[in-house]
Amino acid sequence: MTEREGREFDAIVVGGGLAGLAATRRLAAHGRRVALVEKRDRLGGSSAMSGGWFALSGTTLQRRAGVEDSDDLFLADMSETGGGYADEALLEALVHRQANAVAAIDRAGAWTDELKVSAGMTVARAHLIRIGDLLAHLENEAVAAGAMILPAHAADGLVTDGSRVVGIRSERGVLVANSGVVLASGGFSRSRELLELFVPDQADAMPYGGVGNTGDGLRMAWMLGAGLADVGHVAGTYGQHAETNDEEHELLTANYLGAILVNLRGERFADESESYKDLGSAVLSQPGRMAFQIFDSVVRARSKPGVPLSDMERLEELGHLVSAPTIPALGRELGIPPERLERTVAQYNGSVSGRHDDPLGRTGLVNGVGALVPVATGPFYAYPAVTAMTSTFGGLSVAVDTSVKRVDGSRIDGLCAAGEVVGGFHGASYMTGTALTKALVFGIEAADAIALG
Ligand SMILES: Cc1cc2nc3c(=O)[nH]c(=O)nc-3n(C[C@H](O)[C@H](O)[C@H](O)COP(=O)(O)OP(=O)(O)OC[C@H]3O[C@@H](n4cnc5c(N)ncnc54)[C@H](O)[C@@H]3O)c2cc1C
């Protein structure tokens, strides 16, 4: 079927990242005529750039590793991380429907053996998935089941018949969706205008994430009276080199392996075990809006080549890791007063050895979990990093079946949304892996809502 012949569909999906591909594949598997429109000339969005960590509970990998997790603990950790602001009904739906995500990863054969504790978790729940394999598999299955994929096709409006959404508009005309439209257009990490509107204190974070992610879906749904959730809590992620390009992210969380964070004055300023989103905000208010991850050879040996967030080898290859035989020499390399850095490290080591409490309240490697180690065994290392706006975890207000809700709570008929365009799942902060899990679980859910609802 050519594009010209096929202007009428059962469903249209806007955006070709994980949420959009999951929705398209599922709609096609339900036997629905579906088209996916993607603004850019290739699919993938932020999903393809991501680290590939998924938050999941009760998995085979966890059982094999002896990790005791449960749906209740997953739920409690997400509520706690969100500071009570997240929508409990959405969190429960995510936990209860994660089996659909597990099945999709199974089908794609995209599991790895990597499992770890990361931001917002009290147990090892971050599963590393080969995200490229998963996206390719979803696309292949969707196309094989008859879905039409239309790259370089930016939606710029929703079409209604007065009471329900019945299609999308673009430069090329209208595509009709008789049963519904799924907005899966990602967040607004590339829109300075929207960042300044919602979170002006974050607008100076390094722009990152899918280049097409300028909040188009948000604006289209606003035009129809959609409500918003969590947008005021959007925050950048700390841990990326200032010279990173779009092809390969350089996020490192050596702090979760035992590093401390110091600013240009050589001072610590935050509990390094907190979520990298909270650290992102803290770093934006430091001099030069940057901080060094400082660690020793013990932490350096914890590097995992090829594993996103823990790969120090790659950063060394890129020339972005600094090293020196002593802490004062490291300070001189970094342009930090050497005696100040030495004092900061000595104070920290004193709290690790139990001589005094840590003034910043750090009690563990990540989220209070894991035994601290002193910064004591040379050579010593520093990774200079900034806050990057990788994802915007606030967005459209939705019901558990992904229907978009108006500001008064009523549903916009014919309009579903999934993935980063949606808010309500994260509240005030963010657990690693919940963005990808939410995109996959609710992309599938949106398809079910349209096909079966
Ligand atoms: C470097 C990096 C690392 C990350 N690591 C992780 C991680 O390990 N774990 C995790 O959970 N999350 C992670 N995230 C966040 C996560 O990747 C995203 O939240 C998630 O992939 C969003 O999926 P999505 O399908 O909603 O959006 P995307 O994957 O961004 O897809 C949206 C698509 O919609 C397209 N689009 C936009 N506007 C239009 C329009 N008008 N018409 C048509 N198409 C449009 C975009 O071009 C894009 O292709 C990371 C993000 C980045 C940038």
Side-chain angles (χ1 to χ4, degrees):
M1 183 165 56
T2 66
E3 190 179 339
R4 190 165 287 280
E5 287 164 338
R7 311 207 61 89
E8 191 167 333
F9 299 88
D10 296 322
I12 306 287
V13 176
V14 179
L18 181 59
L21 282 167
T24 305
R25 184 254 159 213
R26 184 80 156 197
L27 279 158
H30 281 306
R32 297 299 188 270
R33 286 175 307 142
V34 53
L36 180 158
V37 295
E38 164 57 48
K39 181 178 184 176
R40 302 201 67 219
D41 53 11
R42 61 179 157 151
L43 304 184
S46 289
S47 304
M49 299 167 79
S50 79
W53 293 102
F54 282 65
L56 298 163
S57 60
T59 62
T60 308
L61 195 56
Q62 284 179 316
R63 276 192 295 279
R64 236 191 281 141
V67 174
E68 281 187 35
D69 197 5
S70 66
D71 290 0
D72 287 347
L73 187 58
F74 187 9
L75 194 56
D77 283 356
M78 282 195 288
S79 296
E80 169 78 24
T81 305
Y85 290 100
D87 180 334
E88 286 289 317
L90 293 180
L91 297 185
E92 277 174 32
L94 183 147
V95 166
H96 293 139
R97 295 171 195 167
Q98 56 180 322
N100 282 337
V102 169
I105 299 166
D106 278 346
R107 275 199 319 276
W111 296 99
T112 73
D113 289 333
E114 293 294 334
L115 175 67
K116 68 171 183 177
V117 189
S118 193
M121 301 173 181
T122 53
V123 296
R125 186 184 294 131
H127 297 68
L128 183 63
I129 303 303
R130 285 190 293 275
I131 186 71
D133 291 358
L134 177 59
L135 293 170
H137 192 263
L138 288 169
E139 183 183 351
N140 292 340
E141 281 196 333
V143 170
M148 181 183 270
I149 309 272
L150 304 174
H153 195 128
D156 57 27
L158 295 165
V159 179
T160 73
D161 65 1
S163 65
R164 60 178 285 124
V165 173
V166 292
I168 63 131
R169 202 178 307 108
S170 79
E171 266 186 349
R172 304 176 190 207
V174 167
L175 295 182
V176 173
N178 288 318
S179 304
V181 168
V182 179
L183 286 176
S185 49
F188 51 94
S189 61
R190 295 285 185 162
S191 168
R192 184 159 182 116
E193 186 193 0
L194 290 182
L195 290 169
E196 277 177 351
L197 179 64
F198 296 133
V199 279
D201 58 332
Q202 301 285 326
D204 286 328
M206 169 196 247
Y208 212 64
V211 172
N213 293 12
T214 49
D216 302 4
L218 269 189
R219 294 174 204 259
M220 286 184 243
W222 274 348
M223 297 285 284
L224 304 183
L228 296 177
D230 298 343
V231 283
H233 296 293
V234 163
T237 296
Y238 168 70
Q240 174 125 291
H241 197 277
E243 287 159 20
T244 305
N245 62 40
D246 286 351
E247 297 311 311
E248 177 186 18
H249 76 76
E250 290 181 49
L251 291 166
L252 177 70
T253 51
N255 45 313
Y256 295 162
L257 303 173
I260 57 170
L261 303 189
V262 304
N263 61 20
L264 279 167
R265 292 192 289 258
E267 299 157 348
R268 289 177 66 222
F269 53 88
D271 170 354
E272 295 88 346
S273 77
E274 286 176 3
S275 166
Y276 39 57
K277 293 279 184 189
D278 298 330
L279 294 174
S281 299
V283 169
L284 281 174
S285 57
Q286 297 306 306
R289 293 195 283 268
M290 64 84 62
F292 299 99
Q293 301 179 25
I294 305 278
F295 48 97
D296 70 356
S297 54
V298 171
V299 169
R300 175 71 185 77
R302 294 177 175 177
S303 167
K304 291 199 163 189
V307 174
L309 304 180
S310 303
D311 186 351
M312 300 175 195
E313 272 69 16
R314 181 64 187 139
L315 300 175
E316 206 155 48
E317 263 170 45
L318 292 167
H320 288 166
L321 212 56
V322 181
S323 69
T326 64
I327 290 289
L330 189 65
R332 280 190 290 277
E333 287 274 328
L334 303 176
I336 297 179
E339 54 308 329
R340 184 69 187 93
L341 184 60
E342 204 170 20
R343 209 162 55 242
T344 297
V345 169
Q347 274 166 356
Y348 177 73
N349 288 347
S351 67
V352 173
S353 65
R355 278 204 300 283
H356 54 82
D357 285 345
D358 180 28
L360 294 166
R362 187 176 194 182
T363 56
L365 292 180
V366 48
N367 205 32
V369 181
L372 295 175
V373 287
V375 184
T377 312
F380 297 93
Y381 298 86
Y383 182 56
V386 299
T387 298
M389 189 54 68
T390 55
S391 54
T392 48
F393 53 81
L396 296 172
S397 176
V398 288
V400 290
D401 68 354
T402 77
S403 304
V404 177
K405 296 197 287 187
R406 293 189 187 83
V407 283
D408 65 359
S410 62
R411 290 165 189 235
I412 301 178
D413 287 338
L415 187 63
C416 293
E420 202 178 303
V421 69
V422 159
F425 286 88
H426 307 290
S429 192
Y430 173 71
M431 178 192 290
T432 301
T434 47
L436 288 173
T437 301
K438 149 182 126 171
L440 182 50
V441 168
F442 289 93
I444 295 169
E445 190 62 31
D448 287 353
I450 288 179
L452 312 172

